């Protein structure tokens, strides 16, 4: 008798998960900006290419540098839509400030205002990476570099954007040494001038001390001479008084003797 063989149930094809298009709030349109500042200047540059977040190029004529005032410039890389929104907000606030105060906002004030603006949007931030470059009230060039939520630093050179990893080593090699040497030599010259001034002041102090000592010695000598003269005068007066007293005593004694003789 043949045994009954049970065949396995046919397996159902496993259902694959459905791939839905995922919403991305941000897109990096690429680009690189950089800036270098010095004692009385500030240079800022950026490329003009805007990508689609990958290898596609949307345009080659898009600027990433926007002039805020006559002394301040904003350079931005990252998402193009957020860049335009941030630029419009800064422009409106700067115009309002100039109408209210009658003068444009200073470069350090703009740098702080941008930091506050980015931090205010920290929960849904502007996807931008910014550089504020310009000169301050003393005419010295400075650069402020930012992250997406407003943390910033004041430096002499910096870079932002997709090419940042390539630009920063070049700036460190070519610019950092020049800035260091200029600052080092300026500090040495200032220290030498300060040392010379200290030596001159020290010599002047020594001369003044010597003059004061000589004057004090002269005054002491004069006082001693006056004291000696006064003592001599006092001694002479005392001697004269003593002599007068002795003479008077002698005269009195003579008168007494004469009277005694007459009585006898």
């Amino acid at each position: 008798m043949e045994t009954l063989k049970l065949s396995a149930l046919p397996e159902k094809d496993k259902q694959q998960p459905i791939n839905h298009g995922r919403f991305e709030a941000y897109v990096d349109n690429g680009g690189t900006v950089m800036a270098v500042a010095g004692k009385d200047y500030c240079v800022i540059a950026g490329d003009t290419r805007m990508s689609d977040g990958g290898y596609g190029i949307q345009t080659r004529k898009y600027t990433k540098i926007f002039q805020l005032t006559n002394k301040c410039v904003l350079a931005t890389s990252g998402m193009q839509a957020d860049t335009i929104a941030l630029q419009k907000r800064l422009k409106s606030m700067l115009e309002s400030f100039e109408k209210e105060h009658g003068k444009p906002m200073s470069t350090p004030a703009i740098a702080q205002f941008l930091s506050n603006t980015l931090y205010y949007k920290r929960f849904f931030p502007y996807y931008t990476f910014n550089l504020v470059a310009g000169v301050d009230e003393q005419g010295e060039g400075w650069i402020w570099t930012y992250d997406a939520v407003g943390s910033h630093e004041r430096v002499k050179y910096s870079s932002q954007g997709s090419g940042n990893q390539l630009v920063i080593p070049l700036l460190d090699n070519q610019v950092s040494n020049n800035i260091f040497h200029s600052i080092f030599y300026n500090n040495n010259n200032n220290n030498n001038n300060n040392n010379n001034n200290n030596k001159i002041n020290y010599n002047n102090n020594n001369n003044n001390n010597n003059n004061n000592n000589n004057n004090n010695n002269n005054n002491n000598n004069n006082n001693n001479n006056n004291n000696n003269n006064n003592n001599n005068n006092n001694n002479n007066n005392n001697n004269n008084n003593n002599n007068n007293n002795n003479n008077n005593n002698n005269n009195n004694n003579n008168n007494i003797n004469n009277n005694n003789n007459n009585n006898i």
Side-chain angles (χ1 to χ4, degrees):
M1 183 177 179
E2 295 182 359
T3 58
L4 182 62
K5 294 182 179 179
L6 298 177
S7 61
L9 294 174
E11 293 183 1
K12 293 182 179 181
D13 294 335
K14 293 182 179 179
Q15 187 177 3
Q16 299 294 329
I18 300 175
N19 292 326
H20 297 283
R22 184 179 178 184
F23 171 73
E24 294 287 347
Y26 298 114
V27 59
D28 187 4
N29 294 118
T32 304
V33 292
M34 60 169 289
V36 177
K39 184 177 180 181
D40 54 357
Y41 68 89
C42 184
V43 179
I44 190 164
D47 67 343
T48 59
R49 178 179 293 180
M50 185 177 70
S51 69
D52 59 359
Y55 292 102
I57 298 174
Q58 294 182 346
T59 180
R60 290 182 172 88
K61 297 180 180 179
Y62 171 71
T63 181
K64 299 175 178 63
I65 299 174
F66 311 98
Q67 183 175 359
L68 300 178
T69 64
N70 292 332
K71 296 183 178 180
C72 183
V73 174
L74 172 68
T76 304
S77 66
M79 186 175 175
Q80 187 253 0
D82 282 353
T83 297
I84 295 175
L86 179 61
Q87 175 199 358
K88 288 181 178 179
R89 178 172 175 79
L90 290 177
K91 279 285 187 182
S92 64
M93 292 303 296
L94 292 177
E95 289 175 0
S96 175
F97 179 90
E98 188 170 359
K99 289 179 181 178
E100 182 177 354
H101 297 275
K103 63 178 182 179
M105 189 181 293
S106 65
T107 302
I110 293 174
Q112 184 60 50
F113 175 71
L114 176 59
S115 175
N116 295 344
T117 302
L118 294 174
Y119 186 73
Y120 175 76
K121 288 274 292 180
R122 64 191 180 276
F123 297 113
F124 191 56
Y126 292 111
Y127 193 59
T128 59
F129 304 94
N130 305 280
L131 292 178
V132 170
V135 293
D136 57 12
E137 290 84 354
Q138 289 75 31
E140 185 173 1
W142 286 103
I143 298 162
W144 288 263
T145 179
Y146 298 80
D147 65 1
V149 293
S151 178
H152 65 289
E153 180 184 9
R154 189 173 73 167
V155 294
K156 283 296 184 182
Y157 64 90
S158 185
S159 174
Q160 290 281 13
S162 57
N164 184 37
Q165 291 83 358
L166 300 176
V167 176
I168 285 296
L170 178 65
L171 294 177
D172 287 337
N173 182 267
Q174 298 296 323
V175 180
S176 177
N177 291 333
N178 295 332
I179 292 177
F180 172 77
H181 285 304
S182 63
I183 294 174
F184 178 76
Y185 288 130
N186 288 334
N187 288 338
N188 281 344
N189 291 333
N190 291 333
N191 289 334
N192 291 333
N193 292 332
N194 290 334
N195 290 334
N196 291 332
N197 292 333
N198 290 334
K199 289 180 180 178
I200 293 171
N201 291 333
Y202 180 72
N203 292 333
N204 289 334
N205 289 334
N206 287 338
N207 292 332
N208 292 332
N209 290 334
N210 291 333
N211 292 332
N212 291 333
N213 290 333
N214 291 332
N215 291 332
N216 290 333
N217 290 333
N218 292 331
N219 292 331
N220 289 333
N221 290 332
N222 292 332
N223 290 333
N224 289 333
N225 291 332
N226 291 332
N227 290 333
N228 290 333
N229 292 331
N230 291 331
N231 289 332
N232 290 331
N233 291 331
N234 290 331
N235 290 332
N236 291 330
N237 291 331
N238 290 332
N239 289 331
N240 291 330
N241 291 330
N242 290 330
N243 290 330
N244 291 329
N245 291 330
N246 290 330
N247 290 330
N248 291 330
N249 289 332
N250 290 329
N251 291 329
N252 291 330
N253 289 330
N254 289 328
N255 290 328
I256 291 170
N257 289 328
N258 289 329
N259 291 327
N260 289 331
N261 289 329
N262 290 327
N263 291 326
I264 291 169

